Amino acid sequence: MDLNGDGKMDILSGCYAAKGVKPMTGYFYVLWGEDGGKFSAPIPLKGEDDKPLLIDEESNVERICTRPTAVDWDGDGDLDLIVGNFKGTFYLFRGEGKGSFANKAEPVMADGAALKISGVHSDPICADIDGDGDLDLLSGSSSGGVQWAENTAGPGKEIALKAFQWLIEPTKISQVWSDDISGGPAGSTRVFADDVNGDGKLDILVGDQVTVNELASGATREDAQRKFDVRSKLQKGTGEERAALMKEYRDLSNSMSKVVKSNRTGHVWLYLGK
């Protein structure tokens, strides 16, 4: 987006926690657009007081893992920042124009309470998902799926949200086989909305995080399933039973390297608008 209105596209990013900042706090970083499609080095986005913007709350989980998006939240023509965090709540930095923002973050509310997703790691994106002319709020989460908070204000007015509901229900998928990824997004979802295929309808892109298993040559899924079954029992085991399961799991892990290879990765899923 063009954050400062100079006609060049900029890159906006959050972070888990800024290096050397106490208490632990995630800044918001910007790479200002330059001529020729180039970008400046990342720097903390600053407020009117020329200090880095931050979510100034007592709880670390609301200060870290910042996830910003820029949108005209209040309908005054300036871009504002709506930001997520580790806890799963949302905050608003009001825009003052030309890439400048108010110093103080305001909590985003819904029905008289702080707006929060189911799960943690709120990841906001604004889009008119119900086609009524105003911008709603979408978010992924650690739990997976896509959540939607409806805007009831109407076009051109400051966004006023209902509590979240599921737009795309989460799955319980944590791992898949490399030749079978038909089950839908796993956990740790990130969301984007756009008309991907140019048919005039809003589509939803969902990224996830999942373990992909691939069998070695000559191995069977039954071979690999033994390890997975023991791991599942281990998570529930106690005392002497757990000790025996741990030994079995270690033995299987040593042999399983010749049977199955597991990679932590993710996929991007496309939901076409109807």
Side-chain angles (χ1 to χ4, degrees):
M1 78 290 294
D2 181 4
L3 197 60
N4 58 1
D6 65 354
K8 302 182 182 74
M9 296 299 289
D10 310 304
I11 297 175
L12 180 64
S13 176
C15 73
Y16 185 84
K19 185 177 180 180
V21 179
K22 294 183 180 181
M24 191 165 62
T25 298
Y27 281 166
F28 306 94
Y29 289 92
V30 61
L31 288 74
W32 296 116
E34 298 178 346
D35 292 335
K38 298 181 180 180
F39 296 91
S40 68
I43 59 172
L45 194 59
K46 297 180 179 180
E48 292 179 295
D49 59 0
D50 204 36
K51 295 180 180 179
L53 294 177
L54 55 85
I55 299 173
D56 187 17
E57 296 294 332
E58 293 182 2
S59 170
N60 273 353
V61 292
E62 289 192 280
R63 286 196 296 255
I64 61 175
C65 201
T66 54
R67 298 184 177 183
T69 190
V71 65
D72 185 3
W73 185 267
D74 51 17
D76 66 353
D78 296 324
L79 286 177
D80 310 297
L81 292 185
I82 174 70
V83 304
N85 55 54
F86 190 101
K87 185 177 181 179
T89 54
F90 299 85
Y91 285 83
L92 169 69
F93 290 96
R94 293 188 184 271
E96 304 296 337
K98 297 183 179 180
S100 178
F101 297 90
N103 306 322
K104 183 69 175 178
E106 305 171 25
V108 176
M109 310 293 286
D111 300 329
L115 181 68
K116 187 181 183 305
I117 58 171
S118 175
V120 297
H121 290 180
S122 44
D123 176 37
I125 185 73
C126 290
D128 183 11
I129 200 66
D130 54 3
D132 65 355
D134 59 23
L135 293 175
D136 310 301
L137 184 66
L138 304 178
S139 181
S141 84
S142 61
S143 302
V146 178
Q147 298 173 61
W148 165 48
E150 182 184 0
N151 180 9
T152 61
K157 299 179 181 179
E158 178 160 344
I159 293 175
L161 299 172
K162 292 183 179 180
F164 277 109
Q165 57 182 294
W166 290 109
L167 182 65
I168 298 173
E169 292 278 352
T171 69
K172 295 183 179 180
I173 296 170
S174 61
Q175 57 183 317
V176 296
W177 292 101
S178 58
D179 61 351
D180 181 13
I181 55 171
S182 59
S188 298
T189 46
R190 305 290 295 269
V191 184
F192 191 75
D194 200 1
D195 181 6
V196 175
N197 58 358
D199 65 353
K201 300 173 184 176
L202 198 61
D203 309 308
I204 303 294
L205 291 159
V206 184
D208 69 1
Q209 188 179 69
V210 69
T211 297
V212 177
N213 300 311
E214 186 171 5
L215 290 172
S217 177
T220 67
R221 291 194 183 182
E222 287 73 22
D223 295 330
Q225 193 61 47
R226 289 173 54 214
K227 177 183 176 182
F228 302 149
D229 289 344
V230 172
R231 180 172 60 188
S232 178
K233 293 177 182 178
L234 179 61
Q235 293 171 344
K236 303 174 183 177
T238 59
E240 293 183 1
E241 178 191 25
R242 181 175 175 81
L245 286 168
M246 179 63 77
K247 182 180 185 304
E248 184 178 0
Y249 182 72
R250 287 172 179 167
D251 292 341
L252 285 169
S253 293
N254 291 333
S255 62
M256 283 299 107
S257 62
K258 301 177 182 178
V259 176
V260 62
K261 180 180 180 181
S262 298
N263 291 307
R264 192 68 169 163
T265 184
H267 302 107
V268 177
W269 302 81
L270 173 62
Y271 291 82
L272 294 174
K274 295 182 179 180

